[in-house]
Amino acid sequence: WLGREEFGGVNVVVGATQLLGAKGILDVSASTMSRSDSYLPITEPGFEPQFHDYTTETVSGGTTKYGSGSLDRSAVILKSSWALSGHTLKAGGEYMTNGATTEGGVHHVIKKMGPSRYREVEIYTSGEVRSRVGGLFVQDSWQASDRWRLNAGARWDTQALLDSDGAVAQVIPFEIQPRLGFIFQPGRLGTQRLYGSFGRYYQDLALNAAAYFNGEEFYRWTGYDHDPRVDPAGGEVLSEFSADILEGTEGLKGQFYDAFTLGYERQLGANLKLGARGVFRKLRRAVEDAFVDEYDDYRLGNPGEGILEAFPEATRTYGALELTAERTVGSGLMLACSYRLSSTRGNYQGLFNTDYWTPSPNASVDFDHPDLMEHTEGRLPQDRTHSLKLATSYMTGRGLAGGLRFVWQTGTPVSIRGGSTQPPAYAFLAERGSMGRTPNVWDLDLRFVYDMRRLVRRRSATRLVLDVFNVGSPRTPLAYDDICCFTRTEEGYQTDVNENYGEPARYQPPMTIRLGFEVDF
């Protein structure tokens, strides 16, 4: 089949800076962005369902893309700063609107999971949704002495979602975000630095979730004991969802996390700097969709609160200790390395769900039903215990420069999932992340840059660039198929064994080479 894809956009930013006497600055900026894309089959086979045959590991048929959409964003920012007797005061505000339009987006897939087991997925979305985000902030950086600098501030945000009729469908007010920090210089000034900070950060709701509940959507998951392409009759609807514009959730609160940092840096001689830093981040509240018995439908809510009180709270805790070293050798060689020991645990990955490899922020499968919550607490897919990074660059003084970046990391946790009472979602059969880890991975990238001003004799910088990514093509598996069985009986037994269970699902990308040309003017 053939298809036609069109996409593109325009970004415009304007700004102005005004000095306010000798101690003040006023900044004003406005920006707008618009982007549109469409994909339509232009031959008859393109309109056929796409067929995934898991027994032969092949894909055939038409395209899952079918439809068009657009995105836009406009923002205005006003901020000022003043230097007054050891204090640097900053204050400002911003207002932003976001919009997303989808017309006729259709995904139609048939999956063969066994000799007499087929599943058909149909999804349709349509409508226009928008969001408005406003915020104010104030902060002060106080140079209390030669050794102490204290920082304090606060930010206030509010969010509103608009449905496809242009009416306000959901408001999330009073997002108060305090920020505190300090810097202390012990010993000889300029040689050591002890620093720490605390901050609360709210997340703007993605329009993805707004489109589900404030536009038109249709979803159906159907099971067959025969190929529905040959005979579309006799299917059993396993899951179905149809919605138009839904009322907002009363008392919905924003998603946020708290972050703490404590670090120490020391300069040893003129060319070596060592550092140690501890980081702790904890998710305090999430916004997700879930099936609510009271409404006999899906709703946005806060897991563990309000209409989603039947669910456990969404949890994600990240802790890390990082050691760093930076060294310059002569006038051309620079070395930087770091080692990180970290842990990420909880029952909620975040805005991207790697269990299903779907970008559905605030509307993932994680909290769709209480039956899916067993064994979900554990090591999350982004958990990597050890991470070592090395970067170096060298300037020859003859127009040629080179650099490399090397990363080595431990693998990610592996889980085991199976059929559930809520297909097409799968249930964890043991504690999340308790089935070992994927292999350790390494990655090496190289860059070479040649300054051609020596050849073309131009004042403006003209460079020839060669990048080599994933040197050696390690192609190590990054994830395994963790679904052992596709269905579950009413008695709770797992059935329909997945023959691909434990097989690699994703690999590191192969080695690629990119040749580029840069001109500054």
Side-chain angles (χ1 to χ4, degrees), residues 201 203 254-259 280-287 313-318 345-350 367 380:
Y201 303 89
Q203 172 234 326
Q255 177 168 317
F256 73 94
Y257 68 91
D258 289 337
F280 179 79
R281 289 198 294 264
K282 185 175 181 62
L283 180 71
R284 299 296 186 181
R285 185 190 301 125
V287 176
E313 292 184 3
T315 61
R316 185 177 67 250
T317 301
Y318 171 79
R345 297 185 63 90
N347 62 12
Y348 182 59
Q349 293 185 52
F367 288 86
L380 293 171

Side-chain angles (χ1 to χ4, degrees), residues 87-105:
H87 293 264
T88 301
L89 300 173
K90 293 184 178 181
E94 62 183 46
Y95 178 76
M96 178 172 60
T97 66
N98 302 284
T101 301
T102 302
E103 293 296 337

Side-chain angles (χ1 to χ4, degrees), residues 22-303:
K23 298 184 177 181
I25 298 177
L26 177 66
D27 288 313
V28 181
S29 65
S31 62
T32 182
M33 177 277 290
S34 63
R35 192 183 77 192
S36 62
D37 63 88
S38 68
Y39 188 94
L40 295 173
I42 57 177
T43 57
E44 194 63 29
F47 290 91
E48 298 174 0
Q50 189 170 103
F51 184 65
H52 295 199
D53 191 335
Y54 287 88
T55 63
T56 60
E57 299 184 10
T58 58
V59 178
S60 59
T63 172
T64 59
K65 285 184 174 182
Y66 179 46
S68 62
S70 64
L71 296 172
D72 66 82
R73 170 178 292 180
S74 297
V76 177
I77 300 176
L78 172 67
K79 57 184 179 181
S80 64
S81 61
W82 295 83
L84 300 171
S85 302
H87 293 264
T88 301
L89 300 173
K90 293 184 178 181
E94 62 183 46
Y95 178 76
M96 178 172 60
T97 66
N98 302 284
T101 301
T102 302
E103 293 296 337
V106 174
H107 304 268
H108 194 179
V109 179
I110 295 175
K111 302 180 180 183
K112 181 180 180 181
M113 299 176 170
S116 59
R117 185 173 180 277
Y118 296 78
R119 296 291 183 265
E120 184 178 32
V121 182
E122 301 170 83
I123 303 176
Y124 173 88
T125 59
S126 180
E128 178 183 1
V129 292
R130 305 196 65 81
S131 71
R132 298 172 181 167
V133 181
L136 300 172
F137 74 90
V138 60
Q139 67 183 56
D140 177 31
S141 181
W142 177 32
Q143 186 70 50
S145 68
D146 291 341
R147 298 185 181 276
W148 282 97
R149 176 175 288 275
L150 304 177
N151 302 314
R155 181 181 178 91
W156 169 85
D157 284 332
T158 182
Q159 304 182 52
L161 299 179
L162 282 66
D163 61 32
S164 55
D165 288 340
V168 176
Q170 185 74 65
V171 176
I172 305 178
F174 307 122
E175 296 180 338
I176 306 298
Q177 302 161 76
R179 312 283 168 84
L180 297 171
F182 75 90
I183 300 174
F184 173 64
Q185 296 188 71
R188 185 163 59 89
L189 290 177
T191 61
Q192 301 180 63
R193 186 169 76 113
L194 179 66
Y195 61 93
S197 65
F198 161 78
R200 173 163 292 181
Y201 303 89
Y202 273 85
Q203 172 234 326
D204 293 343
L205 279 182
L207 291 179
N208 177 78
Y212 286 157
F213 296 98
N214 301 299
E216 180 182 352
E217 181 190 14
F218 173 77
Y219 165 85
R220 179 185 291 150
W221 176 262
T222 308
Y224 294 87
D225 59 6
H226 59 274
D227 192 338
R229 297 174 300 171
V230 178
D231 179 11
E236 177 188 0
V237 177
L238 303 176
S239 179
E240 189 175 51
F241 173 74
S242 179
D244 204 335
I245 300 175
L246 302 179
E247 62 182 9
T249 301
E250 184 178 356
L252 183 67
K253 302 173 184 177
Q255 177 168 317
F256 73 94
Y257 68 91
D258 289 337
F260 301 84
T261 301
L262 182 63
Y264 173 75
E265 291 180 346
R266 179 166 187 142
Q267 188 80 28
L268 297 177
N271 300 319
L272 178 62
K273 182 172 72 173
L274 302 178
R277 183 178 68 146
V279 178
F280 179 79
R281 289 198 294 264
K282 185 175 181 62
L283 180 71
R284 299 296 186 181
R285 185 190 301 125
V287 176
E288 268 294 334
D289 71 328
F291 188 84
V292 182
D293 292 334
E294 177 184 352
Y295 298 98
D296 193 30
D297 208 339
Y298 286 81
R299 287 291 191 276
L300 278 179
N302 304 120

Side-chain angles (χ1 to χ4, degrees), residues 247-426:
E247 62 182 9
T249 301
E250 184 178 356
L252 183 67
K253 302 173 184 177
Q255 177 168 317
F256 73 94
Y257 68 91
D258 289 337
F260 301 84
T261 301
L262 182 63
Y264 173 75
E265 291 180 346
R266 179 166 187 142
Q267 188 80 28
L268 297 177
N271 300 319
L272 178 62
K273 182 172 72 173
L274 302 178
R277 183 178 68 146
V279 178
F280 179 79
R281 289 198 294 264
K282 185 175 181 62
L283 180 71
R284 299 296 186 181
R285 185 190 301 125
V287 176
E288 268 294 334
D289 71 328
F291 188 84
V292 182
D293 292 334
E294 177 184 352
Y295 298 98
D296 193 30
D297 208 339
Y298 286 81
R299 287 291 191 276
L300 278 179
N302 304 120
E305 304 178 39
I307 63 173
L308 301 188
E309 63 181 358
F311 292 81
E313 292 184 3
T315 61
R316 185 177 67 250
T317 301
Y318 171 79
L321 173 63
E322 185 178 51
L323 305 177
T324 61
E326 297 179 20
R327 180 175 175 80
T328 56
V329 180
S331 60
L333 180 62
M334 187 277 294
L335 299 170
C337 63
S338 68
Y339 164 76
R340 179 178 297 175
L341 174 67
S342 65
S343 173
T344 308
R345 297 185 63 90
N347 62 12
Y348 182 59
Q349 293 185 52
L351 302 185
F352 188 88
N353 188 314
T354 58
D355 291 333
Y356 297 89
W357 209 247
T358 53
S360 297
N362 306 119
S364 68
V365 182
D366 286 342
F367 288 86
D368 274 6
H369 197 277
D371 288 354
L372 299 174
M373 300 309 302
E374 188 176 6
H375 304 306
T376 57
E377 187 83 25
R379 293 196 175 275
L380 293 171
Q382 57 264 53
D383 177 81
R384 292 188 184 273
T385 306
H386 304 284
S387 179
L388 178 65
K389 298 180 181 180
L390 172 67
T392 181
S393 64
Y394 180 66
M395 303 284 293
T396 65
R398 297 183 178 182
L400 181 64
L404 67 82
R405 182 188 70 92
F406 175 79
V407 178
W408 177 91
Q409 300 178 100
T410 52
T412 57
V414 176
S415 301
I416 179 171
R417 295 182 293 159
S420 74
T421 61
Q422 306 297 318
Y426 298 101

